[in-house]
Amino acid sequence: MTTEQNDRTPLAGVLAANAVSVTGNSLTLIGVPWFALETTGSPGKAGLVAFCAAVPVVLAAVAGGPVIDRLGRRRVSVTSDLVCGLALTAIPLLHQTGLLRFWMLCALMAVTGLFHAPGEMARYVLVPDLAGRAGTSLTRAASLYDAVARGARMTGAAIAGLLVAFMGPGTVLYVDGATFAVSALLVTATLCGVPSAEPLREGPRLSVARYRADLREGYSFLFRARLMLGITVMVMVTNGLNQSWSSVLLPVHAREELGGPAAQGLLVSVFAGCALAGALLYGAVGERFPRRAVFTAGFLIGGAPPYVVAALTDTTAPLLVTVAASGFGVGVLNPILTTVAYEQVPDELRSRVMGASTAGVLLTTPLGGLVAGLLVERAGLTATLLGIGALYFLATLSPMVFPAWRGMDAPPKTGPADLADVAADGAAEDVSRTEPSIPAPAPGPAGTPPRR
């Protein structure tokens, strides 16, 4: 085995950088909604801020895949972190000087959304190559990647809840900006000289025609790969519902019933900690069990229950138990989704296909917080929680209903002939099949490839 094949530094660097960046995301997840609620007093305006942050994420995901390969995954990751850090730091600075207006808050959050998705995607698509360099199996690398992210969310949520409670949401945003700077430094230091992290040098120069062809190729593959398309549609629905929970429903519930941001930080931290345990457990023994069964059970446990329990209780303890079980169920999801995506998509198409799938899973995210804020103001918190919980339950039934999901347990497609046939998977199943149309780039994860 060569030295390059034993080189674990790049994989460790990406894991560390992603951990720091995800910690920052957790700070944003709690700090920004509370900042909006404290400065405006309106759940509707808090939802509008979430909408403004989410729409650019979708736009970046729609168009970003070919650009990531051409500019280089390391360069995109570093630039993304630096811009996000500056935009988040500007929010409390402007507020302290009395210059911040609501439209400025929306605009700065839009900037973070526009740049965050390409950076996370750039790190994500590097994992298979870096796992090979480190001599680590793909399933273990995917589980480790998700476990590290879960642990970072747990830490970030706990820190954010305490900082908001005792020092105010502005302090959270300063710390948040610093985490992105640290992430950029780690990527710069550990990925220098890694070929898969550098710009794509081969092939025709990037032009409008070439860019459109690359973009079309990613969407064409996704629309023909029936399992990938089914995953994208399901996670698209659940991501919108998740956004309603994190950006509006949980902060409002914590403010009105649970005593404030410290309780929210505790709930998010416990959820992330149990999700970390679920991801680590799946990485250790998950390969022994059918993926579709584990995935379905995890989603049923992790999806609707927190919404229902939050609607029926005004104390922290029952919800804490529920989010603990929910986190454990959710912990198995991303390792499965990541492994399936790596197996289904060849390396040369990975950035383009993952960009297309990311755009799909984030399609409803901008509406999640906006609609939830409006529903809370008009129908009340309890009715909104129950309604969204019911939608979540229906969405999680799809792996048991649609035959294409059986492909989760199929052997990995690794040879050239197998990869050429991925798009035709499920054609023999007794469901209707229409030839895909290639969608034009339009507004439409994660943080990301299909992720929960």
Side-chain angles (χ1 to χ4, degrees):
M1 187 173 289
T2 66
T3 302
E4 182 177 287
Q5 289 174 316
N6 281 317
D7 186 6
R8 299 181 179 181
T9 300
L11 178 61
V14 165
L15 292 174
N18 207 52
V20 175
S21 183
V22 170
T23 299
N25 293 342
S26 296
L27 298 176
T28 304
L29 186 69
I30 293 179
V32 171
W34 277 97
F35 185 88
L37 284 171
E38 285 193 4
T39 55
T40 68
S42 167
K45 285 189 175 181
L48 181 58
V49 172
F51 175 82
C52 292
V55 168
V57 175
V58 179
L59 295 176
V62 167
V67 175
I68 291 171
D69 286 340
R70 297 289 177 169
L71 295 181
R73 294 162 179 175
R74 178 171 65 94
R75 186 179 301 169
V76 169
S77 178
V78 171
T79 302
S80 165
D81 282 337
L82 291 177
V83 173
C84 289
L86 289 172
L88 287 166
T89 303
I91 293 173
L93 280 175
L94 290 171
H95 180 65
Q96 288 178 346
T97 58
L99 298 176
L100 185 67
R101 301 292 180 267
F102 182 69
W103 69 266
M104 294 180 186
L105 175 61
C106 292
L108 288 168
M109 289 307 299
V111 170
T112 65
L114 184 65
F115 281 85
H116 170 69
E120 185 174 344
M121 193 191 310
R123 293 187 294 271
Y124 177 81
V125 297
L126 278 168
V127 171
D129 177 74
L130 301 185
R133 292 173 65 94
T136 302
S137 72
L138 185 55
T139 298
R140 291 189 182 278
S143 297
L144 184 60
Y145 184 90
D146 189 62
V148 168
R150 299 288 187 186
R153 289 189 185 97
M154 174 181 64
T155 304
I159 294 172
L162 293 173
L163 287 177
V164 171
F166 294 106
M167 303 182 69
T171 301
V172 175
L173 298 183
Y174 282 125
V175 177
D176 198 355
T179 63
F180 284 106
V182 173
S183 176
L185 288 173
L186 285 169
V187 169
T188 301
T190 59
L191 291 186
C192 184
V194 176
S196 58
E198 298 303 319
L200 181 64
R201 305 292 184 187
E202 301 176 357
R205 296 181 61 184
L206 184 63
S207 62
V208 174
R210 180 70 259 167
Y211 174 80
R212 291 172 61 185
D214 287 348
L215 201 62
R216 187 182 305 115
E217 192 171 19
Y219 279 95
S220 177
F221 186 98
L222 178 64
F223 270 70
R224 291 197 302 265
R226 301 182 64 178
L227 175 58
M228 288 291 295
L229 183 60
I231 291 172
T232 299
V233 172
M234 177 182 177
V235 181
M236 175 188 71
V237 175
T238 59
N239 273 355
L241 303 178
N242 291 336
Q243 180 71 2
S244 72
W245 171 261
S246 62
S247 64
V248 175
L249 299 179
L250 181 56
V252 172
H253 185 57
R255 184 182 66 170
E256 294 182 356
E257 306 288 352
L258 305 181
Q264 181 187 356
L266 175 63
L267 290 167
V268 176
S269 181
V270 168
F271 176 89
C274 292
L276 167 62
L280 290 173
L281 181 62
Y282 185 82
V285 301
E287 292 177 292
R288 305 174 187 175
F289 302 97
R291 290 176 185 169
R292 184 168 69 134
V294 174
F295 181 85
T296 302
F299 241 133
L300 287 172
I301 295 170
Y307 297 84
V308 177
V309 173
L312 301 178
T313 183
D314 58 358
T315 56
T316 303
L319 189 56
L320 193 64
V321 173
T322 304
V323 298
S326 177
F328 191 82
V330 164
V332 306
L333 302 182
N334 284 351
I336 294 174
L337 292 176
T338 301
T339 303
V340 169
Y342 288 153
E343 290 176 351
Q344 294 279 315
V345 184
D347 180 67
E348 62 271 16
L349 292 178
R350 192 164 288 135
S351 292
R352 281 164 273 176
V353 176
M354 296 309 181
S357 66
T358 298
V361 302
L362 295 176
L363 185 62
T364 60
T365 303
L367 297 176
L370 181 64
V371 172
L374 295 175
L375 286 174
V376 169
E377 291 189 342
R378 286 163 173 75
L381 180 61
T382 299
T384 303
L385 284 166
L386 289 174
I388 291 179
L391 289 175
Y392 214 128
F393 175 73
L394 293 175
T396 54
L397 296 178
S398 59
M400 296 186 290
V401 175
F402 297 105
W405 287 84
R406 297 172 190 165
M408 267 193 164
D409 295 319
K413 298 182 179 295
T414 54
D418 287 333
L419 292 173
D421 291 339
V422 167
D425 275 359
E429 303 288 350
D430 55 348
V431 293
S432 61
R433 182 180 188 276
T434 57
E435 291 302 317
S437 59
I438 307 304
T448 64
R451 295 179 72 76
R452 204 284 190 186

